[in-house]
Amino acid sequence: MPAQPDPALPDPALPTPAQSGTFRPQIIPCVDIQGGRAVRLYEGDPDRETVYFESPLLAARHWASLGAPLIHIVDLDAATGRGENRQLIAGIVEQLEVPLEVGGGVRDLKAAEALLSLGVSRVVIGTAAVRRPQLVAELLALHGPERVVVSLDARWPDVAVSGWAEASGVKVAEMTARLGELGLETLIFTDVTRDGTLKGLDRELMAQVRQLWTNTLIVGGGVANRQDAELLSELRIEGAIVGRAIYEGTLPYPL
């Protein structure tokens, strides 16, 4: 069911001020790691997985060979508290020259620093950004906005936490305002209800999030085909993290 527009927000059908000229969003391949394999989950459920590569390294190498300028990696085991895959991630960093952004279970300064010390280009903070926003402020002060990304995973209008398993009680609009005040540049927004489903992006929801976040916006959740890529261009959204659609070929990669 499409998200209902928030009456407190501007009409999502209205164009943003930046809507002019050629705009080419970035399609960012995603490698989700669970149980040591490259998988995709249906609606974020760790028990509803599809295995695409037995080796996350092979998955990352595949997308790098096709020209990916950036690869998004999520340690699902760390996100859900089932374990961690740091050694696998270290191996990917060591063997690929493509920049990596990595998230999943990064809930304190030590965990973030450990990933950055591996050579990860930027670290992705999820649950901790909601529960401990001071961590985001600390990382921004230490490493700058180019190495820190926050991922807001939502069942609109609420932010989900703990590997998408729990409602946080915090609204997306509240979090975007808070993160903007902290000086965050890049935000990832994922529609949990569509992630891994190939249902396509929710147009009204994407338009609302675009208006809430005027810095660099990367979205995810249901990207299925070229029409979704065209929607990104139309709404001036800088990029999308894509998994199942490019693994199964419903969205050609590269475009």
Side-chain angles (χ1 to χ4, degrees):
M1 178 178 174
Q4 296 301 311
D6 187 333
L9 294 172
D11 183 351
L14 293 175
T16 60
Q19 280 187 287
S20 60
T22 303
F23 187 90
R24 190 175 181 84
Q26 189 177 67
I27 301 299
I28 304 168
C30 181
V31 178
D32 287 346
I33 306 175
Q34 180 167 271
R37 301 179 296 181
V39 308
R40 288 299 285 165
L41 305 183
Y42 189 90
E43 295 182 352
D45 185 344
D47 295 320
R48 301 164 76 188
E49 69 170 24
T50 300
V51 178
Y52 288 110
F53 284 82
E54 289 294 329
S55 164
L57 172 60
L58 291 180
R61 187 178 285 160
H62 173 74
W63 300 120
S65 73
L66 292 177
L70 174 69
I71 295 174
H72 180 83
I73 294 179
V74 181
D75 187 340
L76 293 172
D77 292 312
T80 58
R82 297 183 175 193
E84 53 88 16
N85 295 280
R86 192 171 296 166
Q87 286 304 111
L88 283 174
I89 294 168
I92 296 171
V93 173
E94 184 178 335
Q95 296 196 42
L96 293 187
E97 295 183 0
V98 175
L100 306 178
E101 62 180 21
V102 179
V106 185
R107 298 194 173 109
D108 55 38
L109 188 61
K110 181 179 178 180
E113 297 282 4
L115 287 173
L116 291 170
S117 69
L118 293 178
V120 166
S121 295
R122 54 193 195 185
V123 66
V124 181
I125 314 298
T127 295
V130 181
R131 293 180 170 165
R132 295 183 54 227
Q134 183 57 31
L135 174 63
V136 178
E138 290 175 9
L139 285 168
L140 288 171
L142 287 169
H143 299 286
E146 67 279 359
R147 300 201 72 190
V148 182
V149 180
V150 167
S151 178
L152 286 189
D153 307 317
R155 290 183 176 87
W156 187 265
D158 300 305
V159 177
V161 293
S162 300
W164 305 353
E166 302 174 15
S168 66
V170 178
K171 304 298 183 185
V172 172
E174 178 185 343
M175 275 303 304
T176 52
R178 184 184 303 170
L179 293 168
E181 291 171 358
L182 291 176
L184 183 74
E185 170 58 32
T186 303
L187 179 75
I188 297 171
F189 176 86
T190 302
D191 180 359
V192 176
T193 66
R194 295 193 178 214
D195 194 68
T197 67
L198 293 182
K199 292 179 180 177
L201 293 171
D202 182 326
R203 170 181 288 270
E204 284 106 356
L205 176 55
M206 294 299 108
Q208 289 192 61
V209 176
R210 170 73 285 177
Q211 292 190 2
L212 284 171
W213 188 258
T214 56
N215 293 336
T216 301
L217 176 62
I218 309 297
V219 300
V223 173
N225 49 40
R226 288 184 183 274
Q227 285 70 35
D228 288 316
E230 291 167 3
L231 178 61
L232 298 174
S233 297
E234 178 185 334
L235 296 179
R236 294 317 218 229
I237 292 173
E238 284 78 9
I241 294 169
V242 185
R244 187 177 172 190
I246 55 174
Y247 282 96
E248 298 189 5
T250 63
L251 175 67
Y253 190 86
L255 283 172

